[in-house]
Amino acid sequence: MKFFVDTADIDAIAELNDLGMVDGVTTNPSLILKSGRDIMEVTKEICELVSGPVSAEVIALEAEDMIAEGRKLAEIAPNIAVKVPLTWAGLKACKTLSDEGNMVNVTLCFSANQALLAAKAGATFISPFIGRLDDLNIDGLDLIADIRTIYDNYGFETQILAASIRTANHMSECAKIGADVATAPPAVIKAMANHMLTDKGLDQFVKDAAQAGIKIL
Ligand code: G3P
C-alpha cells in the first residue's frame, strides 16, 4: 500500500520523506488554510520535495471553471494530480482533464456508486472518506471494501486512495482490504509505530542493560 501524507506542512512532509514513508501528498483547501501559505507557492514546494503524485484541489463548482483551474494547477509540476469533487460537474472535469493526460483525484466520495462513476470518467485516484462516514456511525471501511470488489470485478485501473483517515487502525485495515493508497495526517503515520508492549519491553531492556553494565560505544 502506498502512503500519501495528508498535509500542506512542508516540515512534516520532509521528515517523513527522509524516512521513505512518502509516496505522495494530498492537500485540500482546508489544509492550505491551515498551512497559512499561498496555494501555488506551497504546492510547488511540495512538488519539488516529493517525486510522487501531489494532489491540489480546484475550488470552482462548474465544470468549465474546474477544467481551467485544473490546467493551471497542472502547470505547477509534472507530478500534480488535479483534485476535483465528486459532483456531476466534477466528473465532467475529471474526464476532460484525464483525457488531456493529467492525473485526476476525485475526492469527497461517500458511496460505491460514486466510485463507479469516477472510474468510468477516467479518474487516476478515487478518494473515499472513511472518517467522515465513521462520524455518522457508518463503517467507512466497508466502503473501501465495496469499491475494491467493484473495481476488481471489472478491472478498473482507478486507484483507491483511502482518505479521511483518523487512526492507525484505519491504516492496517485499509492495507488488509487492499486499498492502493492511504492518505493520512503525519501524526497518524507516526502513531503506527506505537505499541505499549514495545514501550514496556524496551523499558526492561534499558534496566537490564544498566544492571549488566553493557557498553557498546
Ligand atoms: O483526505 C481528506 C482529508 O483531509 C479529510 O480528512 O479528517 O477532515 O475528514 P478529515
Side-chain angles (χ1 to χ4, degrees), residues 6 28 31 129 132 163-164 166 183:
D6 200 28
N28 61 35
L31 294 171
F129 276 34
R132 292 190 194 184
S164 183
R166 307 272 176 78
T183 189

Side-chain angles (χ1 to χ4, degrees), residues 191-213:
M192 292 168 73
N194 299 341
H195 200 291
M196 59 184 288
L197 290 179
T198 304
D199 296 341
K200 192 177 168 204
L202 186 58
D203 195 46
Q204 189 62 50
F205 288 158
V206 167
K207 283 183 187 138
D208 291 347
Q211 203 179 329

Side-chain angles (χ1 to χ4, degrees), residues 6-7 26-28 30-31 57 83 105 107-108 110 127-133 135 161-166 183-185:
D6 200 28
T7 186
T26 50
T27 65
N28 61 35
S30 309
L31 294 171
E57 188 161 342
K83 210 170 176 189
N105 176 0
T107 190
L108 290 168
F110 294 95
S127 291
F129 276 34
I130 298 174
R132 292 190 194 184
L133 284 170
D135 289 344
L161 197 176
S164 183
I165 283 186
R166 307 272 176 78
T183 189

Side-chain angles (χ1 to χ4, degrees), residues 134-151:
D134 286 356
D135 289 344
L136 301 177
N137 282 329
I138 299 167
D139 191 343
L141 290 165
D142 285 349
L143 175 58
I144 305 295
D146 286 348
I147 300 172
R148 181 74 283 156
T149 302
I150 291 168
Y151 281 7

Side-chain angles (χ1 to χ4, degrees), residues 11 26-27 56 61 79 81 96 103 128 132 138 153 172 196 211:
D11 291 342
T26 50
T27 65
L61 298 178
N79 54 331
T96 301
M103 288 188 283
R132 292 190 194 184
I138 299 167
N153 280 349
S172 46
M196 59 184 288
Q211 203 179 329

Side-chain angles (χ1 to χ4, degrees), residues 1-127:
M1 185 171 73
K2 284 176 266 185
F3 282 17
F4 287 4
V5 195
D6 200 28
T7 186
D9 179 334
I10 294 281
D11 291 342
I13 296 167
E15 185 191 355
L16 290 167
N17 197 39
D18 287 348
L19 288 176
M21 302 284 178
V22 179
D23 300 303
V25 172
T26 50
T27 65
N28 61 35
S30 309
L31 294 171
I32 297 292
L33 173 69
K34 206 168 159 191
S35 76
R37 305 273 314 271
D38 170 74
I39 182 172
M40 304 306 277
E41 200 183 279
V42 74
T43 307
K44 189 167 187 293
E45 241 177 88
I46 296 170
C47 289
E48 283 163 2
L49 194 63
V50 172
S51 55
V54 174
S55 290
E57 188 161 342
V58 301
I59 52 163
L61 298 178
E62 300 300 329
E64 283 312 310
D65 300 331
M66 284 187 207
I67 292 164
E69 288 181 355
R71 287 177 183 146
K72 185 163 178 197
L73 290 169
E75 280 172 10
I76 296 174
N79 54 331
I80 283 286
V82 179
K83 210 170 176 189
V84 299
L86 213 157
T87 57
W88 198 249
L91 291 169
K92 284 185 189 169
C94 172
K95 179 76 175 92
T96 301
L97 290 165
S98 6
D99 284 351
E100 289 175 357
N102 300 292
M103 288 188 283
V104 180
N105 176 0
V106 181
T107 190
L108 290 168
C109 170
F110 294 95
S111 78
N113 274 335
Q114 288 181 317
L116 190 47
L117 290 174
K120 300 288 281 183
T124 316
F125 302 104
I126 181 68
S127 291

